[in-house]
Every structure is written in C-alpha cells, then in structure tokens.
Amino acid sequence: MDSAGQDINLNSPNKGLLSDSMTDVPVDTAVAAQTPAVEGLTEAEEEELRAELAKVEEEIVTLRQVLAAKERHCGELRRKLGLSALEGLKQNLSRSWRDVQVSTAYKKTQETFSQAGQKTSAALCTVGSAISRKLGDMRNSATFKSFEDRVGTIKSKVVGGRENGSDHLPSPTSGDKPLPDQMPF
C-alpha cells in the first residue's frame, strides 16, 4: 500500500496527501534480525509477531497522516468561519471553567468556604457585641466619668477664651502678648 500518495479524505483529492514535514517511520529489519529471539518463541511465531509489528507501525503512520489532514482541514474551516486562536482559547477556558464548577471537588470546596464564612461572620458579630458591651460598661464607670469631666473642663477653658473674642490662647508666661502666626514645628 502506498501510504504517501493515498487519499485519506474522500471529500477532496488533495486533503490526504502527506506533507513534506511528515515522514514514514521506517522499520529497521536488519536490526530486528540481529536481536536474539526471545526464548520460547518458534521461528514461525517470531515471523508472525514481526509481521504484526510491521502492520501496526504502518497503521500508526496512516493514523498520523489522517490526523495531520484533519488538523489542516480544521484550520481551514476555522479560517473560513473567521475563528481565531484567541476565540478558541476563550471557548476552551469557558468550557474548562464550567467543568471545574460541576466537579465534586469544587462543590465541596465551595461548601466548606461558605460554612467557614458563616462561622467567621458569626464570630465577628459576637466579638463586636462583646466590645460594644465592654465600651458601654467602661463609659458608665466612675473613672471614665471623672476623665470625661476633666476633658470637659479643659475644653470649656480653651473654647471659652475664643468665645470672648480672642483669636489666641492665653499663655501663662507671656501675659497679654499674642502668639506668632507662624509656629515652628
């Protein structure tokens, strides 16, 4: 059988021709004849195996040619349809992502993360409530009330000076001198 000129695709007389870049895989019968036969095989069995090997290798070559022809035909169809490699990549990624989403591992992972998120949310609510309660307790304590009163007193002294029409704070050492506009830092 002449596989190099064989028409593989019956729809077109040129589709199945072997390209220059592909070559047949030769069976080196000289090397095969030099290798010692496996013990226990008769000469007839060995010849039968060699014939089967040659047949399988020939089928492999034919299948490679068919695959190459199909790939060329697929490329031509994609070009005619205006499909680019990027478009094919997008479709493959989209299909792969759908496959991942329906997988059991993805579903289990998603469920685990969902449960973890719910537990984390509940824990944060509990912590937030505890902090809020503690701050409320602290605000009602005598120490905080005393501190709040002192801050209020200082504030009234500071704001009270400005409310009297003065733009500057009184300085205990400067008397009635105004503070300079530009304060060095």
Side-chain angles (χ1 to χ4, degrees):
M1 172 182 354
D2 184 18
S3 61
Q6 179 183 10
D7 185 13
I8 296 171
N9 187 343
L10 299 177
N11 295 330
S12 171
N14 297 324
K15 292 278 186 201
L17 293 178
L18 182 64
S19 67
D20 292 337
S21 63
M22 293 187 65
T23 58
D24 289 339
V25 178
V27 177
D28 194 356
T29 54
V31 173
Q34 293 172 358
T35 58
V38 177
E39 292 181 25
L41 286 179
T42 64
E43 224 173 277
E45 291 173 331
E46 187 177 337
E47 283 301 316
E48 183 180 327
L49 289 175
R50 288 188 194 284
E52 187 177 345
L53 176 63
K55 181 181 173 186
V56 169
E57 287 176 340
E58 185 177 319
E59 289 173 355
I60 289 171
V61 169
T62 304
L63 289 173
R64 284 184 182 151
Q65 292 171 353
V66 169
L67 179 61
K70 294 287 184 184
E71 287 175 341
R72 281 192 305 272
H73 185 64
C74 179
E76 290 172 13
L77 291 174
R78 286 186 181 276
R79 271 191 301 281
K80 288 178 182 178
L81 289 172
L83 299 176
S84 66
L86 181 60
E87 197 64 33
L89 181 63
K90 279 192 218 174
Q91 289 175 353
N92 287 342
L93 288 174
S94 178
R95 189 178 322 116
S96 296
W97 179 241
R98 278 192 308 269
D99 292 346
V100 165
Q101 286 179 321
V102 299
S103 72
T104 306
Y106 179 82
K107 288 179 181 177
K108 285 182 180 178
T109 303
Q110 185 180 27
E111 183 180 313
T112 302
F113 279 144
S114 176
Q115 290 173 355
Q118 291 170 356
K119 289 179 181 179
T120 303
S121 177
L124 289 175
C125 282
T126 304
V127 169
S129 297
I131 290 173
S132 178
R133 189 173 53 255
K134 288 292 183 182
L135 286 174
D137 293 347
M138 188 176 79
R139 187 166 192 186
N140 293 329
S141 73
T143 307
F144 188 81
K145 294 264 187 210
S146 172
F147 176 73
E148 191 175 34
D149 288 342
R150 288 183 187 172
V151 169
T153 305
I154 293 172
K155 179 183 174 192
S156 65
K157 286 182 180 179
V158 170
V159 173
R162 289 189 180 167
E163 288 175 350
N164 294 335
S166 174
D167 285 343
H168 64 280
L169 294 175
S171 172
T173 58
S174 65
D176 288 345
K177 285 193 228 174
L179 293 175
D181 289 337
Q182 302 272 339
M183 294 290 292
F185 289 104

